[in-house]
Amino acid sequence: MAQDHFDVLIVGAGLSGIGAGFHLQTKCPGKSYVILEGRDCIGGTWDLFRYPGVRSDSDMFTLGYSFKPWTDPKAIADGAQILNYVRETAAENGIEKHIRFRHHVKRAAWSTSEARWTVEAERITGEGGAETVRLTCNFLFMCSGYYKYEAGYMPEFPGVADFAGRIVHPQKWTDDIDCAGKRVVVIGSGATAVTLVPELAKTAVQVTMLQRSPTYVVSRPAQDPVANKLRRNLPTRLAYHLIRWRNVMWGMFFFQLSRRRPAKVKELVLKGVQMALGPDYDVATHFTPRYNPWDQRLCLVPDGGGLDISVDGRAVDFANTLTYKGMMYADVPNMASAFGYTNASWTLKCDLTCEYVCRLINYMDRHNFRQYMPHNDDPTITAQPSLDFTSGYVQRSVAKMPKQGSKQPWRLYQNYALDIVSLRFGRIDDGVMQYS
């Protein structure tokens, strides 16, 4: 088996993996790194999803990288635009040469005596062939996201064998699917369904959304007139960060208002839907969920991804592991994961995570440390579910997910402003992180 060593090994060449590569080579220029990508191209989610109308449900001023301003007039971008943005970032910064495609990471084992990870990946060779590749690294950075690329969740439908039509999961959409002149049923009412339905309705005879429970829907223009005006009159980077912070603050305000005054927010959202559809439409039946605003998030499908991880021969059970600052794990050395917010854009948290990882690596170099490990010895800290959403995708997976603690630094606050204070300016030697 081939074997190479790197200072940092990144898993995933999607939005967060490319961002991690940029931060590493900018803030830790002396460190070697490699990005292992299971597929044969850059882009992750934005290359995987090919269904009609695929787009972000977050504005690109917050979903975009902090270091690369979004310059397109459309603030709510479609999948192809986002994919081009990610690939452009990789090309402009020479990140492409660090990527090894068709490498499916299967196992990672930490050795304290060697202070390094041994990572095994299955490399696809030719038509159906595969070989095992072994690499070692000092730091393992997981940027593979929530999605299980092999297959999305598919419930069992009684009588499906008797259905004469075609059943398609959006994650497996192919170019030969043509809905023109057909009657289509879209099962679900989340972000994917809200994207699919209007696009399919352009050519299909009839499109029906079959929903177990309605979802809150808020209309928002694809272009942000204030943002476009600022960009015409201010330097690109200044305008980008002003717009970014305006959108961040508005998102935080709306989330907190939804939690503190859910009835009022519900009333405002439903009034907006009624205005758009007219007084004769039955909003109460079709657009009034059984839950309060922000009890559910519309766009994520959590999944562990199937990677086996061990520390000195001990298998790590992440379902019983506390998360440290939402990115690292108790008693797991030299490892971090990039996960975004559930109540804001993914990249906001990933950018901060990458900054913190770079701070940590540089701190360890200055003090000649080889290993760090978050460790909880406070008996008053209790384990809690990492997410308190009622969405089906959360409830199906919550038992397998790492837990958060009852107080900092083990608690997740899903708050960008608090995380800036903690991750960008907080102490690296906080008494919880152990170094050796």
Side-chain angles (χ1 to χ4, degrees):
M1 291 184 291
Q3 184 166 324
D4 293 311
H5 179 77
F6 298 90
D7 292 313
V8 182
L9 188 150
I10 299 168
V11 179
L15 187 65
S16 52
I18 298 302
F22 175 88
H23 283 283
L24 274 170
Q25 63 189 34
T26 303
K27 298 178 175 65
C28 304
K31 298 297 181 183
S32 62
Y33 76 93
V34 66
I35 301 176
L36 300 187
E37 168 57 47
R39 304 175 75 240
D40 59 3
C41 54
I42 294 172
T45 297
W46 299 109
D47 178 74
L48 174 72
F49 287 171
R50 305 292 181 89
Y51 60 83
V54 59
R55 56 165 174 77
S56 167
D57 62 349
S58 300
D59 67 273
M60 287 305 299
F61 299 106
T62 54
L63 187 65
Y65 298 117
S66 60
F67 54 84
K68 181 175 171 60
W70 176 256
T71 58
D72 193 278
K74 288 181 67 175
I76 306 297
D78 58 44
Q81 290 175 300
I82 301 172
L83 178 60
N84 181 67
Y85 174 79
V86 176
R87 291 180 173 174
E88 188 178 77
T89 303
E92 288 174 350
N93 296 284
I95 299 170
E96 293 171 318
K97 64 185 179 183
H98 295 273
I99 304 174
R100 298 188 182 184
F101 295 107
R102 297 184 177 182
H103 280 65
H104 295 265
V105 178
K106 298 296 185 180
R107 284 168 291 279
W110 171 261
S111 168
T112 297
S113 61
E114 297 178 344
R116 64 172 54 184
W117 287 97
T118 297
V119 177
E120 287 189 6
E122 183 179 84
R123 184 172 75 88
I124 306 301
T125 59
E127 296 183 3
E131 66 175 359
T132 299
V133 178
R134 181 177 292 163
L135 306 94
T136 58
C137 62
N138 302 113
F139 192 97
L140 182 60
F141 199 178
M142 302 299 299
C143 297
S144 48
Y146 281 108
Y147 288 104
K148 183 177 182 180
Y149 285 178
E150 291 79 10
Y153 174 71
M154 179 69 81
E156 293 185 12
F157 300 113
V160 68
D162 301 324
F163 180 62
R166 186 172 181 177
I167 298 177
V168 180
H169 193 290
Q171 190 167 315
K172 297 294 184 180
W173 198 279
T174 54
D175 293 337
D176 67 310
I177 299 172
D178 184 8
C179 296
K182 298 179 180 178
R183 292 180 299 165
V184 182
V185 175
V186 177
I187 300 176
S189 58
T192 300
V194 170
T195 300
L196 261 175
V197 168
E199 195 67 23
L200 297 180
K202 293 177 181 179
T203 58
V205 170
Q206 180 182 353
V207 179
T208 302
M209 178 188 284
L210 182 63
Q211 58 185 18
R212 179 174 55 189
S213 170
T215 297
Y216 289 104
V217 177
V218 178
S219 178
R220 188 174 181 180
Q223 294 197 24
D224 185 332
V226 175
N228 290 340
K229 184 176 181 179
L230 283 175
R231 290 192 298 187
R232 287 194 299 268
N233 295 281
L234 293 174
T236 301
R237 189 168 292 273
L238 174 60
Y240 179 67
H241 284 285
L242 286 174
I243 302 160
R244 184 180 176 91
W245 266 106
R246 181 205 62 177
N247 291 359
V248 166
M249 297 306 292
W250 167 250
M252 291 170 59
F253 168 76
F254 187 75
F255 177 75
Q256 292 299 326
L257 186 65
S258 299
R259 291 291 176 152
R260 295 174 183 177
R261 301 188 63 188
K264 183 63 177 178
V265 172
K266 183 174 184 176
E267 178 186 352
L268 291 172
V269 171
L270 296 183
K271 279 185 178 179
V273 174
Q274 194 75 73
M275 289 175 60
L277 298 178
D280 297 329
Y281 194 86
D282 187 3
V283 170
T285 298
H286 301 297
F287 284 90
T288 305
R290 296 191 296 261
Y291 54 88
N292 286 326
W294 274 117
D295 279 354
Q296 295 191 10
R297 165 78 172 179
L298 302 179
C299 67
L300 302 179
V301 183
D303 197 284
L307 174 63
D308 294 326
I309 293 181
S310 62
V311 174
D312 294 328
R314 170 184 59 87
V316 178
D317 180 8
F318 285 101
N320 294 310
T321 304
L322 288 180
T323 56
Y324 173 84
K325 297 192 174 183
M327 68 174 78
M328 298 171 186
Y329 308 95
D331 301 322
V332 179
N334 291 32
M335 177 182 172
S337 297
F339 285 117
Y341 293 113
T342 58
N343 62 351
S345 289
W346 178 268
T347 319
L348 290 173
K349 179 63 179 290
C350 290
D351 262 339
L352 289 177
T353 297
C354 292
E355 288 183 30
Y356 183 85
V357 166
C358 291
R359 286 184 64 206
L360 182 60
I361 290 173
N362 291 333
Y363 174 85
M364 291 174 67
D365 279 354
R366 289 195 303 269
H367 294 83
N368 295 317
F369 292 132
R370 300 171 61 197
Q371 172 181 312
Y372 82 81
M373 184 176 69
H375 177 74
N376 174 40
D377 56 9
D378 184 349
T380 67
I381 292 179
T382 58
Q384 302 174 355
S386 54
L387 296 176
D388 62 355
F389 281 3
T390 61
S391 304
Y393 58 79
V394 172
Q395 296 305 310
R396 286 192 299 270
S397 305
V398 70
K400 303 175 185 177
M401 299 174 73
K403 303 298 185 288
Q404 64 170 320
S406 53
K407 58 184 177 181
Q408 289 185 318
W410 306 99
R411 184 167 176 78
L412 301 174
Y413 288 101
Q414 300 290 346
N415 186 300
Y416 182 60
L418 289 178
D419 280 340
I420 284 181
V421 175
S422 172
L423 303 182
R424 186 176 291 171
F425 304 109
R427 292 178 55 188
I428 296 290
D429 56 337
D430 60 358
V432 173
M433 192 73 84
Q434 298 181 349
Y435 299 95
S436 59

